[in-house]
Amino acid sequence: VLNYANLSDVEFEYLCQDIMQKKLGIQLRRFAAGRDGGIDLTDDAGSPGIVVQVKHYINSPVPALMSALRNEAAKVKELSPGQYYVCCAKSLTPKNVTEIYDLFSDCMDSDSNIITLNEIEDFLQAPQNRDILEKHYKLWLDSTGIFQNIIGGNIFVDCEARLADAERDKTLFV
């Protein structure tokens, strides 16, 4: 079981950047934390064709997420990207997905532009995406099954770096 609560908002944004780059087959640019004008990730800062908005909200209720997205709608309309994606760390009902799609339908092909926790989980569990899962170790640090699979698998591991990291981080674990 992956633990998304272990990730900070910025770490979740990095995870979504890796996922969306692989899904879309393009490089996405990330920006400093703070007021982003509705852009967390984009293909082009000057003339965004693709914009990805990332909402962690793992410990918030769905209405808080919906309120934040409603606040983004005017910014997105002004940006007018060719494609707009929302990545969130929440499992959503069909009604929630429809409500989000209705907010951004002018710049979404379909409601599949809304990437929920379920889609993120499915994506990360696919064998071809193991590199992303390994990179974001805080997701699986609590899961001994995944940890043993990664450590015991036939995976190239720079042992010296891994041992140095373990030595440095050992005070963080119980």
Side-chain angles (χ1 to χ4, degrees), residues 2-166:
L2 302 177
N3 187 348
Y4 297 88
N6 281 349
L7 300 179
S8 70
D9 294 347
V10 171
E11 291 166 332
F12 184 70
E13 192 171 300
Y14 291 172
L15 172 67
C16 290
Q17 180 184 22
D18 289 341
I19 290 171
M20 294 306 294
Q21 285 180 156
K22 199 158 192 180
K23 276 178 150 311
L24 300 173
I26 61 168
Q27 286 295 116
L28 294 171
R29 189 170 186 183
R30 184 179 59 247
F31 302 97
R35 293 184 172 262
D36 56 25
I39 300 174
D40 286 328
L41 309 168
T42 187
D43 59 339
D44 183 345
S47 177
I50 294 173
V51 172
V52 180
Q53 186 64 42
V54 178
K55 298 292 185 193
H56 193 211
Y57 284 72
I58 190 80
N59 295 318
S60 301
V62 172
L65 169 67
M66 300 305 290
S67 176
L69 289 171
R70 279 194 280 290
N71 290 336
E72 298 286 344
K75 297 178 212 171
V76 173
K77 191 171 277 265
E78 190 175 312
L79 286 169
S80 188
Q83 283 297 308
Y84 185 74
Y85 294 87
V86 174
C87 291
C88 64
K90 298 295 284 178
S91 292
L92 300 174
T93 66
K95 182 181 178 202
N96 298 142
V97 171
T98 299
E99 192 176 336
I100 295 169
Y101 178 71
D102 289 345
L103 286 172
F104 305 108
S105 61
D106 291 346
C107 42
M108 287 183 170
D109 281 343
S110 70
D111 65 10
S112 65
N113 285 41
I114 302 159
I115 315 298
T116 69
L117 187 60
N118 296 339
E119 284 88 19
I120 292 170
E121 186 84 14
D122 291 345
F123 184 86
L124 291 174
Q125 297 300 330
Q128 66 270 25
N129 300 318
R130 186 179 185 139
D131 58 326
I132 295 173
L133 184 60
E134 289 176 18
K135 181 178 176 183
H136 297 277
Y137 67 91
K138 285 186 176 181
L139 285 172
W140 49 264
L141 203 55
D142 297 342
S143 175
T144 57
I146 294 173
F147 188 67
Q148 288 173 343
N149 190 16
I150 287 172
I151 297 301
N154 291 326
I155 299 168
F156 173 75
V157 176
D158 182 353
C159 294
E160 288 182 26
R162 183 79 72 187
L163 289 171
D165 288 347

